[in-house]
């Protein structure tokens, strides 16, 4: 029924609230998302990601990394659908001092890109995650080229800017 879609709406509203810097509203939307979980067997990827993003904002990257690790049923599928997830997840794992998990995320999105060449956004997503993991300005520039003006492309631009500000190789 519509309960699943209402739940998805709460997740979207939580992410929008985070983007606006309104952590209280994000938290209220996640509470609504969780209330509607009763009896709803559909594990919406965006909802779980929203919960993890709010947890990161409230409690730090370790909490977000733990939440993502706890529900792995759908992550390959969701990596196919959300171009910014691999880089964000990589960033969270690195901030949580878990480079091995970050490497697994990058490895997974890279394999997905290689086995699905008909979906070039996956190559952009893989380049972005690789650039974050390895602090690789050229990979981030490639991600920007492939992802364009999408949210994921803007995120790659931000990551490249931070990398260059922090003194990375300027040949990108």
């Amino acid at each position: 029924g519509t309960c699943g879609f209402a739940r998805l709406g709460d997740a979207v509203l939580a992410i929008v609230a985070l983007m606006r810097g309104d952590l209280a509203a994000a938290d209220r939307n996640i509470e609504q998302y969780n209330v509607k979980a009763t009896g709803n067997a559909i594990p919406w990827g965006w909802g779980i990601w929203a919960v993890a993003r709010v947890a990161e904002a409230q409690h730090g990257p370790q909490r977000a990394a733990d939440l993502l690790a706890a529900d792995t049923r759908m992550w390959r599928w969701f990596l196919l659908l959300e171009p910014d997830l691999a880089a964000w997840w990589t960033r969270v794992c690195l901030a949580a001092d878990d480079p091995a998990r970050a490497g697994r995320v990058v490895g997974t999105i890279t394999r997905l890109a290689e086995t699905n060449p008909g979906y070039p956004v996956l190559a952009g997503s893989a380049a972005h995650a690789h650039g974050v993991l390895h602090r690789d300005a050229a990979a981030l520039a490639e991600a920007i080229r492939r992802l364009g003006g999408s949210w994921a492309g803007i995120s790659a631009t931000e990551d490249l800017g931070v990398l260059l500000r922090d003194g990375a190789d300027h040949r990108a």
Side-chain angles (χ1 to χ4, degrees):
T2 60
C3 183
F5 292 108
R7 188 173 184 218
L8 178 59
D10 291 326
V12 170
L13 289 172
I15 290 173
V16 169
L18 277 178
M19 291 177 177
R20 290 181 173 172
D22 188 348
L23 189 55
D27 189 50
R28 283 191 303 276
N29 285 298
I30 291 302
E31 286 178 19
Q32 286 302 305
Y33 172 85
N34 288 329
V35 165
K36 293 172 184 160
T38 306
N40 185 354
I42 300 171
W44 292 101
W46 284 280
I48 296 166
W49 189 24
V51 170
R53 288 182 66 175
V54 172
E56 178 196 24
Q58 292 176 321
H59 307 288
Q62 187 62 55
R63 176 77 62 90
D66 291 345
L67 284 170
L68 292 173
D71 193 340
T72 59
R73 296 170 290 173
M74 67 183 18
W75 288 113
R76 285 180 51 131
W77 171 80
F78 193 47
L79 284 168
L80 289 169
L81 297 178
E82 179 50 59
D84 196 36
L85 176 60
W88 178 84
W89 196 356
T90 300
R91 204 178 301 110
V92 164
C93 290
L94 291 173
D97 198 28
D98 193 349
R101 189 181 307 175
R104 287 191 298 275
V105 171
V106 172
T108 300
I109 190 62
T110 299
R111 282 187 300 282
L112 288 170
E114 290 168 351
T115 57
N116 294 282
Y119 298 93
V121 70
L122 294 175
S125 189
H128 188 184
H130 174 90
V132 169
L133 178 62
H134 298 288
R135 299 184 48 79
D136 183 336
L140 291 170
E142 177 65 14
I144 293 165
R145 186 185 71 74
R146 289 180 176 271
L147 297 168
S150 67
W151 185 263
I154 300 305
S155 177
T157 302
E158 180 181 17
D159 286 330
L160 178 59
V162 168
L163 189 63
L164 295 176
R165 179 200 68 204
D166 292 346
D169 188 345
H170 287 67
R171 289 178 291 172

